[in-house]
Structures are given as C-alpha cells and as structure tokens.
Amino acid sequence: MKFGHTLLLVIPLLLIAPLVIAAEQSVTNIIYTEKGLAGKQVMKKLSNTEYEANIDVRWNNRIYQVDEKVTLNQQGELIKYKSTGLSPFGAPINEKYHWEDGYGTWSSNKEDGRLKTDSSLFYLPANSAGTVDNLTVQAMLKSMSNSVDLIPSGTARLTKLKTFVIDNGEHKESVSLYAIGGLGFTPDFSWYDSEGNFFAKDISGFLRIIRDGYSIEKFNELRDIQNDAEQEYLENIADKLSHSYSSLLIQNAQVIDVINAKKLPKTDVLLRNGKIAKVGVNLSVSKDTPVIDGKGKTLLPGLWDMHGHLSKNDGLLNIAAGVTNVRDIGNSHDNIMEVEQLFNSNTVIGNRVFRAGFFDQMSEFSAGLSVKSLEEAHEKIDWFADNGYLQIKLYSSIDPKWVESIAEHAHRRGMRLSGHIPAFMTAEQAVKAGYDEIQHINMLFLNFLAGTTVDTRQQLRFSLIGEKAGELDLDSKEFNDFIKLLADKQIVIDPTVSTFRSLLLKENKKVDPEFSAIAKHLPPNVLRQLKGAEMNVAPELLDNYQAGAEAMNKLLKKLYDSGVPIVPGTDNIAGFTLHRELELYAEAGIPTMEVFKIASINSAKLVGAAHYLGSITEGKHADVVLIDGDPTQDMSTIRNVSLVVKGGYFYKPDELYQVLGVKPFTTSSQLR
C-alpha cells in the first residue's frame, strides 16, 4: 500500500515532468517498475500558449491516469489549467484553475480556493500530467534566485548538482541533476537536459522513468549518480544532527518496563558506549557525564514499525518520531541493502532495518518481483535465505495450490511465511497451509466477504471492506471459530489499520482524519496531498464505510482479547503513521502498557532481536525514546518526542523536524 501513497505524494509534482518542446511536437516519457513497462506520459505543445498532456501509469492494480490542458498568456504565465482522470484507488480527478483580474481561483477534490495575486505565480496542481510542473522548473531556471512562489502556497527552489553526458548510440545528450526543494519533506532529485527538459528519475528502485529512446541500462548510469547525490544530502544532515556520546544519564524519568509491564517512577537510566549500562534510582555518575532531566517525561524503548517499505528519506521521519526499528516487508534488493547499510552505519540518519523477502506470481495484477513457476518460487526462497532475509511475504496473485509447498520450503530454510491472502483462497485456508502471519486487517474480513470466489487482486479487496465489513457479526460462531484458529496457531496479525482507515474515511475537501491531529505541523504541500477522497465512494455508502472503519477497531480488540499476536505496521508515511496506529490500538481498548509491549519487545521477539533490543534492560542496545508527558494516560502524547537515542547517537527531534519542514511537537531535551 505504501507504494500507492508514496506515488500520490510524488506524482503530482516533478515525478514525470514533461518536456518543453517546439510547437506541434510531442514527446513521450517511459515508466518502468521491476515487472517492466508500467506506463507513459505524452505531452503536446500546440502553440506558444497552449499545451495538453496525458499520463497513464499502472502498477499493482492501481491506475494513475490524467489528461490535462494548460493555457499561458503572452508573457508565459499560467492563466488556465484543467485536468481530469483517475487516482490510484479510484477517486475521480477533476481539477481547475484560472487567473483573471488579479485573482487566482482553483478547485479540486482536495480543496477550493481564491487568492489575490499577480499572474507570475505558478499554480501547483494537486494531480498533474506534468505540464505545469515542467513550466515551473523552466521558470526557476530563468529566475535570478532559482525559485518560484506557488499557488496555493509555498516556494519551489532549484539547485543544480551534477552534469553528465549520456549516449544512446545515435546522439549524445548533456543532462543535469537538480534538487527541487520546498515541496515535501525532502528535496526531489530529477534529471533535466541542457534546455531544462525532464530526462530521467529513480524513485527508490520502485519506479524508473527515462525519456523514450534511451534504454533502461542507460538509466542505471543516471540512477547511480542520483542516488549518490541524495545520499550526500542526507549525509550532510547526519553530520550536523547526529550527536555522539560516550556516556549519558537520563535522570528522574518515568521508565516503562515492558518486560514486567510496569511503570518505574523517578528512575535513572545510564547509557554508555551505545548500551544501557544501568537502570536504577539516584545513580551516581562522574561530574563530566552529560545529564538530561527526565522530570515530567516518560522513557520508552525505541518504537518498532513492522510494515515499512523503506527509502533513504524515511530514516529522518522515523527517528524524529522515535521509531528506531523497522521491518521492511517488501522492497527491491538493491534499494533495501543500501538503506540498511547507510542506516546501520549512521552514514545517514535512520532506523535499524530487518528485511523480509517479497514475491508474487506473474500475472496482469502481480506486484514487484514475480515468479512464473513453483520451482522458481522455491529458488527465490533459497535466494532470500542465502542473502540474510528473515521471512517471506507473498502477494495476491500466488496460486493457492502453491502455498503449502512454499510454506514448507520457507520453514525448512528457517524462514517464516506471511503476506496477503492469495486471491481465490481464504485466510483460514492460508493458515492451514502454513502461513505464520497475515499482513493487513482487511484480509481477515475478506475471509468471510470474498471467500474463494472473489478476485481480491483487484480493488474489491478494499471496497468490500467499506461496503460490508460493518455488517459482519464478529461474535458469530463462524467468526469466533476463525479467531480461535488464529489464536491456537499464534498467527501474527500486522493490521496496518490506520492506513485502511485512510482509504475508507478520506473525503473531498477534507484532511485525512488519520492525520488531522498533526495537520498544523506538516508542510503545506504535504498536507494538501492528504486531502480528498482516495476511493470513489457513492454517497449512499458513506455510512457503510464509516461502519467498516469502526469494525476494524472492534476486530483489533477481539484479536487482543483472544490472544492473537499483533504487531504494529504503517505502510504509509513513516513515523507519523506509527503514532496513529498505536493511538488506534489504545482507542480500541487495548491497555496502553500492552500497546507499548506490542510496539517494542513483542516486535523484537518476532524478528529474533529481543536479546539485544526491545526493552530498557541493562546490557541491551541503547534504543530509547523520551516523551514529554505520560502516554500511559494519553496515547496522543506519544507524538511529543523530546529525545531519541539509537545506539551510540542521540537526536533532537525539533532539529530533525526543522530540516523536514515540520513544526516540532515539543522542545527537545537539553543536556546539562
């Protein structure tokens, strides 16, 4: 799911920026995933003032499709924009902007607005085929400050980083790598030719975009340079904002002992050389030991996100939120290996990484790495085992007849098996065939709503939950028998309930309710992408979708009460989504101390790391999070992170959030 949400944040600006071209010409950009061709973007310049464009990208049964028309005035300023299309989860796109008589007016499913301004500001589309994005880049290149003020808000800034000559066998092209800042949490890195036209971009190894006529092999040369530039940017942040220590005393805090489910009032914790050296009261230390006053604060073990799809940029968001450990549940091998190395070495600020292998069976709906036979699936399991992956995650196109054999082979190699429930298979059947864990709470509802007849590779796996989950009797014998099976076999559930609530509950012109508590803290263009419906929900079904969201919370509590293991995952924006996920667990009625265990020691046990992580225990790695307030009384205070320690480094969240364009939630703790 995160791929979809990430794309929603990236595509609307500069993901697939079009080309400024001669009149009555068109240019095509080609888009690839690991499976191969995923789509294209075509732009036509009809005249010096009229443009039209189309983008059509398809991946993992998602479609992003936009047709747009753009009108400029004779000064090259944007005065009219219109786009129609389809967003990745089915919501219709219908966006308009026009400038007239000193006012810019716009409307979309995300927001309506009117602003008194001159026509020199560029409108930033919420959903774009690319024309306006590229014209904005062209304007930045012409600007003395290499920046442009935007409507509805914000300023885009352009920085040239690197120039490279690429050859396709017929001609050579000089292309430059630019960083475009001011639009999201971190800059966007993209390639442009000598005239400032978009050329190529790599998105965390998931999407690869390059101008038509250039091979994917040529793309790889540019990708490596782009990745180095991104890394250099993040390394500079790490150099400035990673604080090393030899010893550090956190004094007089409320310490959460997740092993014994106890609160330890007015307790000291001494950290030394990246380890927890002592836990006690009134600890004696040398005069030169830095001290942090923990009065009025709560010290937690570092938090765990057990459903991530990591990029290098996620590390800053995770650490600022106190998420020191992430299980990556599906990624390209090259990308996750690079992320793991950079984060673990602290070359780039980021969480510890625990890798799960991922594959699907090749089909028109398959996702990511796909295999064509059961034999190839076994080979892939061996490859993942040989390369240090902890488990296997399957996806929705896997043949149900393969599951038992895949499970047996994974178990022989010492790996657990988890995933989506394959289409035309029930969760009960998957568990009996050898599943150890299920990703996403919708899969539990689909056991009854889809059975073996519905093709859940398609978006029915989302819409059925909205339409019918609220009608299910969670206390029926059939449902209770299913829950008992999960409990008896200790099947772990990774519910990602916040992300599914976002899908069901987002409405046009409103902020996603899952992020409403932090809306005022987010950069304006990030917040804008959190507005508007994700799915195309008929008005008469809105109450059903609300009931479906409420059913998720009821099922969470039922799972907990029945002894079914739960681990917290996000599959969405790093850091912030984990806070909301834990808040939902508490709202569902799971005791807060148990929520902390779920988000720390229980997760550490699942990946085999509980002997050195997951609790504030002498001898373990110094992964701790200091919270202003008492989250055992109010889980929402878990956002008030004032200090994060991961191993031999500590971090001040207000410093990290400032770099990310986020308004801090509290002031970072100071040394004395």
Short mmCIF file of all heavy atoms in Angstrom, two decimals, residues 19 119 148 167 271 298 531 624:
data_model
loop_
_atom_site.label_atom_id
_atom_site.label_comp_id
_atom_site.label_asym_id
_atom_site.label_seq_id
_atom_site.Cartn_x
_atom_site.Cartn_y
_atom_site.Cartn_z
N LEU A 19 8.26 17.73 -21.22
CA LEU A 19 9.27 18.44 -21.97
C LEU A 19 8.70 19.71 -22.56
O LEU A 19 7.58 19.74 -23.05
CB LEU A 19 9.80 17.56 -23.10
CG LEU A 19 10.35 16.21 -22.68
CD1 LEU A 19 10.60 15.37 -23.90
CD2 LEU A 19 11.59 16.38 -21.87
N SER A 119 -0.16 37.38 -11.92
CA SER A 119 -0.15 36.13 -12.69
C SER A 119 1.22 35.48 -12.76
O SER A 119 1.39 34.47 -13.43
CB SER A 119 -0.65 36.40 -14.12
OG SER A 119 0.17 37.39 -14.75
N VAL A 148 10.54 29.94 -7.37
CA VAL A 148 9.25 30.41 -7.84
C VAL A 148 8.24 30.28 -6.71
O VAL A 148 8.16 29.22 -6.06
CB VAL A 148 8.77 29.61 -9.07
CG1 VAL A 148 7.31 29.94 -9.39
CG2 VAL A 148 9.63 29.88 -10.28
N ASP A 167 24.73 8.74 -23.87
CA ASP A 167 24.78 8.41 -25.30
C ASP A 167 23.84 7.23 -25.55
O ASP A 167 23.95 6.20 -24.89
CB ASP A 167 26.22 8.04 -25.67
CG ASP A 167 26.42 7.79 -27.15
OD1 ASP A 167 25.41 7.71 -27.88
OD2 ASP A 167 27.58 7.65 -27.57
N LEU A 271 23.32 5.47 30.02
CA LEU A 271 23.73 4.92 28.72
C LEU A 271 25.23 5.11 28.58
O LEU A 271 25.76 6.19 28.86
CB LEU A 271 23.00 5.63 27.58
CG LEU A 271 21.47 5.76 27.73
CD1 LEU A 271 20.90 6.53 26.55
CD2 LEU A 271 20.82 4.40 27.85
N THR A 298 8.44 10.58 30.06
CA THR A 298 8.35 9.12 30.08
C THR A 298 9.38 8.54 29.12
O THR A 298 9.48 8.98 27.97
CB THR A 298 6.94 8.65 29.66
OG1 THR A 298 5.97 9.21 30.56
CG2 THR A 298 6.83 7.14 29.68
N LYS A 531 -5.42 15.52 1.56
CA LYS A 531 -6.83 15.91 1.44
C LYS A 531 -7.47 15.15 0.28
O LYS A 531 -6.81 14.70 -0.64
CB LYS A 531 -6.95 17.42 1.19
CG LYS A 531 -6.45 18.30 2.31
CD LYS A 531 -6.57 19.77 1.95
CE LYS A 531 -6.07 20.67 3.07
NZ LYS A 531 -6.17 22.10 2.71
N VAL A 624 16.21 4.20 23.02
CA VAL A 624 15.20 4.71 23.95
C VAL A 624 14.61 6.01 23.40
O VAL A 624 15.24 6.72 22.60
CB VAL A 624 15.78 4.97 25.36
CG1 VAL A 624 16.26 3.66 25.98
CG2 VAL A 624 16.91 5.98 25.32
#
